[in-house]
């Protein structure tokens, strides 16, 4: 950007800074959400909940499918074959 653009957009600097901070927080949240170690730990806790009788088989199957989808997306992301947004 040129000097004039910077001067004209100066009043919006706090908004741009906030947007940057929000993008950074979102990226970190997605990194944690799709982290294979995190997903595997959640799968282990899910199995423990099933064995303890805290959830039904149907709930287990539904949540397990969601977690396995996340694990698949994580493996695609780490392989660099996609951005993880397509099913």
């Amino acid at each position: 950007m040129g000097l004039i653009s910077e001067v004209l957009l100066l009043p919006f600097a706090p908004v741009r800074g906030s947007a940057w901070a929000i993008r950074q927080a979102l990226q970190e949240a997605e990194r944690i959400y799709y982290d294979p170690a995190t997903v595997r730990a959640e799968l282990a806790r899910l199995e423990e909940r099933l064995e303890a009788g805290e959830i039904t088989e149907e709930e287990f199957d539904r949540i397990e499918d969601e977690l396995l989808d996340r694990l698949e997306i994580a493996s695609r992301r780490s392989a660099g074959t996609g951005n993880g947004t397509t099913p």
Side-chain angles (χ1 to χ4, degrees), residues 1 5-6 8-10 12-21 23:
M1 290 189 166
S5 299
E6 287 295 324
L8 291 174
L9 294 174
L10 191 58
F12 298 105
V15 173
R16 291 190 326 218
S18 296
W20 177 84
R23 280 193 305 274

Side-chain angles (χ1 to χ4, degrees), residues 4-5 11 21 24 27 31 37-38 43 46 48 55-56 60 62-63 65 71-73 77 83:
I4 294 174
S5 299
Q24 296 302 311
Q27 287 175 353
R31 186 192 65 77
T38 301
L43 282 167
L46 181 65
E48 289 171 1
I55 59 173
T56 65
F60 174 84
R62 181 183 54 79
I63 298 169
D65 287 342
L71 198 57
E72 181 181 339
I73 291 169
R77 283 182 170 194
N83 62 5

Side-chain angles (χ1 to χ4, degrees), residues 17-76:
S18 296
W20 177 84
I22 290 169
R23 280 193 305 274
Q24 296 302 311
L26 180 61
Q27 287 175 353
E28 181 63 13
E30 285 181 346
R31 186 192 65 77
I32 293 169
Y33 184 76
Y34 290 110
D35 179 36
T38 301
V39 177
R40 287 187 192 102
E42 288 183 39
L43 282 167
R45 283 192 299 270
L46 181 65
E47 190 170 345
E48 289 171 1
R49 290 180 63 202
L50 177 67
E51 290 173 359
E54 296 175 10
I55 59 173
T56 65
E57 283 281 339
E58 293 79 21
E59 290 173 308
F60 174 84
D61 290 338
R62 181 183 54 79
I63 298 169
E64 182 187 40
D65 287 342
E66 292 171 6
L67 291 171
L68 292 175
D69 287 343
R70 280 173 46 193
L71 198 57
E72 181 181 339
I73 291 169
S75 67
R76 275 190 278 158

